[in-house]
Amino acid sequence: MLVALAAVSLIGILMSRDQSRPTPEPPVPKPVREAVTVNPNAVYPEASGTGGTRTLLVTFPDGSRAEVTYPAGLNLASLGARPFAGGTLTGAGKSGKFRSLTAPLYGEAETAAGRPMIRRLTGDVTLWPGPLGVDTAGPVLLFAFGDWRIALQDERAGMTFEQRRAWAENLRGTLTPDGFLTLSAGGPLRLSRPGEIRDGVLVGPQLWLGGLSRRMLVLAPVPDCERQGRASVALDPRHAISGSACRAGFYLAASGDESFVRSALRDVRVRAL
C-alpha cells in the first residue's frame, strides 16, 4: 500500500512539473525553393534545301508566317528562334502602360537567378525579383505557355497589383504545330502591331534568332519599312546591334562576328506567306 501511494505521489509531482513548463511552439515551416530546370527557351525549326541554300518556315508572335532563305554557312536553324512582342495595358481615364515581352535565353532559370519566387499571380503566371544590379528595373512577370517562358520586365515605380493581374489574366499564348509561340490579348490589353515604333524602337512582333552565342539575327515584319525613318530593335546588353537592313517589308538586325553580320544583312531573304 505504501508503495502504491509513493508511486501515485511521484506521478503527481512529475505531472505538476510538466504542467508548469511552457508548451513548446510548433515548428515553423521553412520556405522551400522550387526546382528550376535550365533549358534553352527557344524553338529550333527544321531547315530544308540542298547545296548552298537553306530555307526556314517561321511564325511570328502575331501569327503571321514567313519563309527565310539564307546561305547554308550561316546555319540559322541551329541558332534557335525566340519571340518578342510589346503590349499596352489601358485603364479608365489613364494613359496606357507599355511593356515589352521577351523570351529569356534560359527561361525560368535565368529569371530566377537562384532567388525564390515572390508570389504566384495565376496558375501560369509568377512574379520574380528584378535583375540584379539594375536600379531602374522592377519585378518580372513570368508567363508559362507550355514549355515557353515569356518575361515582362516591369519598371522600378511599376504597376499595381491589379495591373499585374490584368496582364496575367488577359495575355494568352498558343503553340503552333511546329513549336512557335503566338500571342493574343483581351480586355484592357493591346499588343503592338507590326512596325509599331516607340521612342525610335520597334516594338511590334519579332523573332530573335540566336543569343546563346555571339551571333544573333532579328527579324521583324515592318510594312513599308523602306519609307520609314531610322529605327532600331531592343536587345539585351549582351548583344549590341552591328548593322541592320530593310527589304520587302521586313527589318533585319544582326550582331556577332563581321562575316556573319555582313552575310546576314546582304544574303538573307524573308518572304511573307
Side-chain angles (χ1 to χ4, degrees):
M1 185 67 174
L2 291 175
V3 173
L5 291 173
V8 172
S9 300
L10 179 59
I11 292 173
I13 293 172
L14 292 176
M15 290 180 63
S16 64
R17 286 182 178 178
D18 288 341
Q19 292 173 355
S20 64
R21 295 174 183 172
T23 304
E25 294 291 334
V28 178
K30 296 181 179 179
V32 178
R33 296 175 184 267
E34 296 183 7
V36 176
T37 304
V38 181
N39 289 316
N41 193 30
V43 61
Y44 292 83
E46 184 176 351
S48 62
T50 59
T53 302
R54 297 289 184 271
T55 299
L56 292 178
L57 298 180
V58 300
T59 303
F60 290 90
D62 65 342
S64 62
R65 292 179 59 79
E67 178 187 78
V68 183
T69 305
Y70 60 96
L74 289 180
N75 206 14
L76 295 185
S78 68
L79 296 180
R82 296 176 289 142
F84 169 94
T88 302
L89 186 68
T90 59
K94 298 180 180 179
S95 59
K97 285 187 176 293
F98 172 82
R99 295 293 185 269
S100 296
L101 298 163
T102 62
L105 282 170
Y106 294 104
E108 188 172 312
E110 181 172 325
T111 301
R115 301 165 298 172
M117 175 179 63
I118 296 175
R119 66 174 299 158
R120 188 172 293 277
L121 293 173
T122 67
D124 296 320
V125 184
T126 50
L127 188 68
W128 297 82
L132 296 171
V134 183
D135 295 335
T136 58
V140 177
L141 275 71
L142 194 65
F143 299 78
F145 300 119
D147 291 335
W148 283 102
R149 297 296 181 267
I150 300 299
L152 182 155
Q153 174 65 68
D154 202 359
E155 299 173 357
R156 185 173 183 179
M159 296 183 288
T160 64
F161 174 77
E162 289 75 16
Q163 289 169 330
R164 290 170 180 165
R165 280 295 298 259
W167 267 97
E169 294 171 353
N170 289 285
L171 181 67
R172 297 180 287 270
T174 304
L175 275 65
T176 66
D178 49 356
F180 287 89
L181 178 67
T182 62
L183 298 172
S184 60
L189 181 61
R190 182 188 68 83
L191 296 181
S192 300
R193 300 180 300 275
E196 189 169 329
I197 297 176
R198 293 182 67 93
D199 300 325
V201 177
L202 287 167
V203 295
Q206 303 167 26
L207 283 178
W208 294 1
L209 278 65
L212 296 174
S213 65
R214 288 183 58 206
R215 294 182 169 187
M216 191 166 179
L217 177 64
V218 177
L219 306 176
V222 180
D224 297 326
C225 62
E226 295 88 350
R227 300 179 183 179
Q228 291 192 9
R230 189 173 184 83
S232 63
V233 291
L235 294 182
D236 60 59
R238 292 170 290 192
H239 297 88
I241 293 297
S242 300
S244 61
C246 190
R247 67 174 71 92
F250 286 92
Y251 176 92
L252 291 78
S255 65
D257 56 89
E258 183 179 352
S259 62
F260 173 81
V261 172
R262 182 172 59 251
S263 180
L265 298 181
R266 180 188 63 202
D267 303 323
V268 172
R269 296 291 183 269
V270 187
R271 181 175 67 89
L273 297 178

